[in-house]
Amino acid sequence: MQRRYDTDALGTRRRRTSSVYSGPVDHKPAQLDLGRLIDRPDGDFSHDGVQQLRQDFTRFMMRYKFGMEEIVTKLSILRDEFEHLHETNPIENISSRLKNPDSILEKMGRKECDSTFESIAEKITDVAGVRVTCSFVSDVYHVFDLLTSQSDVVIVEVRDYITDPKPNGYRSLHALIEVPVYLSDGEVPVLVEVQLRTIAMDFWASLEHKIHYKYREDVPQSLLDGLKDAADTATELDATMERLHAEVKTAGQLSAGLKDELSRGTVALPDDAFVERLKRLGS
Ligand code: 0O2
């Protein structure tokens, strides 16, 4: 089916179908000035159209929240299914966040983004973010495949910083995906950035993030070098863990052949409980 879209006043592309959405687009909000929201710590939004701006901003962010929640639900279903029906679970942890207005403003500056919802929606692709941590690199790709093979998930872009790490050592698999959100007045496709990484990658990224937050642009070279070394160590750790994991899994599988061989000989059969423990250790 050919998909047709309109872009509405909040910068979200809305899918047009004859039955769901064919009405007029939303009203055009005033020129966006998020600073006016942020500069009101007293919480008084009653002046100068700020109330309207605040409402528009809330509606804009809500769509991302719903899209993000859909992705979290999809991943939680996968995790729970693995938990109950499989021996191993590729998903260790799922977290999510909406970008806060400060962070959106900062990125608007960096990305030369106009002060319109449309421009933010186009240029800031991680307003809604979901992060998945896995034990093994193979699990990262497995979860990516399980999520993106779902029929209502559209892959917009993939950045594989695992195969191709950033120069500072950052590794993760980033997927920009679009999911449909059904609002009272129709369907809107919402963009969500999903970051998938191993526990080792996540450990490194959170430390690196803290260091950058603390030193801003002035991180001492010795720390940058240390971080790069740590990134290399994390890569080696991931490779070793993957190898051990594969070995233990294979040991579990081989035990059937070994059992057969042994059953024909004089040696006692390997203990099933022991093989089971080994399998768990590797999962
Ligand atoms: P937060 O706190 O997650 O909101 P960029 O221009 O690099 O900021 P871009 O080009 O839109 O972002 O996309 P990219 O490179 O895929 O990175 C987006 C997000 O990935 C970042 O969001 C981080 O969460 C994470 N990320 C990317 N590079 C690094 C890195 O070198 N170190 C760490 N720790 N995280 C990284 P935000 O907005 O920077 O942060």
Side-chain angles (χ1 to χ4, degrees):
M1 184 182 78
Q2 195 194 0
R3 288 174 176 166
R4 303 178 66 202
Y5 295 97
D6 289 317
T7 302
D8 72 12
L10 296 181
T12 309
R13 285 189 306 135
R14 304 185 65 115
R15 184 172 301 163
R16 238 193 297 166
T17 66
S18 51
S19 58
V20 182
Y21 179 74
S22 57
V25 294
D26 304 18
H27 68 279
K28 267 267 175 251
Q31 184 78 349
L32 179 64
D33 183 358
L34 289 179
R36 292 164 75 197
L37 291 185
I38 293 159
D39 291 342
R40 281 187 187 263
D42 57 354
D44 181 2
F45 296 106
S46 57
H47 315 290
D48 316 314
V50 171
Q51 211 162 5
Q52 180 63 54
L53 176 62
R54 185 173 181 242
Q55 249 181 35
D56 287 335
F57 185 64
T58 303
R59 288 173 60 220
F60 178 75
M61 292 304 285
M62 262 174 42
R63 294 177 182 181
Y64 285 103
K65 176 175 178 285
F66 299 147
M68 187 180 82
E69 285 172 352
E70 274 195 30
I71 298 295
V72 169
T73 301
K74 284 174 180 296
L75 289 162
S76 302
I77 288 171
L78 289 171
R79 184 182 55 187
D80 291 354
E81 190 206 330
F82 272 99
E83 187 72 37
H84 292 106
L85 301 178
H86 299 265
E87 274 180 13
T88 62
N89 197 334
I91 299 176
E92 284 289 335
N93 189 54
I94 304 163
S95 61
S96 60
R97 67 104 184 88
L98 280 182
K99 222 170 179 55
N100 64 44
D102 278 323
S103 203
I104 292 178
L105 270 180
E106 183 272 323
K107 208 157 188 171
M108 281 169 74
R110 265 197 296 132
K111 302 253 167 192
E112 295 180 353
C113 181
D114 293 341
S115 287
T116 60
F117 286 114
E118 195 174 348
S119 184
I120 297 178
E122 189 196 321
K123 296 212 170 132
I124 303 185
T125 51
D126 63 342
V127 174
V130 175
R131 189 170 288 157
V132 185
T133 46
C134 306
S135 294
F136 304 102
V137 175
S138 54
D139 288 343
V140 165
Y141 291 103
H142 187 202
V143 174
F144 170 81
D145 287 341
L146 291 173
L147 178 66
T148 56
S149 60
Q150 298 187 6
S151 60
D152 56 350
V153 169
V154 176
I155 303 177
V156 175
E157 189 184 310
V158 177
R159 292 189 193 176
D160 189 344
Y161 297 124
I162 296 179
T163 306
D164 197 8
K166 287 194 168 183
N168 62 355
Y170 177 78
R171 291 186 307 142
S172 267
L173 180 64
H174 288 196
L176 266 188
I177 61 182
E178 205 174 70
V179 274
V181 165
Y182 296 91
L183 299 174
S184 58
D185 59 351
E187 176 192 341
V188 285
V190 175
L191 201 60
V192 180
E193 182 186 82
V194 184
Q195 299 181 351
L196 302 111
R197 47 171 80 150
T198 63
I199 297 167
M201 294 171 199
D202 191 53
F203 187 26
W204 182 92
S206 57
L207 178 64
E208 196 259 7
H209 190 268
K210 277 184 204 138
I211 289 175
H212 276 273
Y213 186 78
K214 180 163 180 196
Y215 289 91
R216 301 284 163 188
E217 297 307 309
D218 277 330
V219 186
Q221 190 56 45
S222 59
L223 268 181
L224 293 175
D225 294 343
L227 277 171
K228 183 69 182 66
D229 285 348
D232 293 342
T233 307
T235 306
E236 277 169 34
L237 177 66
D238 275 337
T240 307
M241 297 300 271
E242 187 83 53
R243 187 172 46 74
L244 290 176
H245 177 54
E247 273 177 26
V248 174
K249 266 206 308 207
T250 315
Q253 281 158 16
L254 277 183
S255 69
L258 194 61
K259 270 184 192 173
D260 185 47
E261 211 174 279
L262 289 171
S263 68
R264 283 185 269 107
T266 51
V267 192
L269 288 172
D271 178 14
D272 279 343
F274 175 65
V275 172
E276 202 47 45
R277 278 207 301 280
L278 264 185
K279 272 203 229 167
R280 281 188 205 289
L281 198 68
S283 64

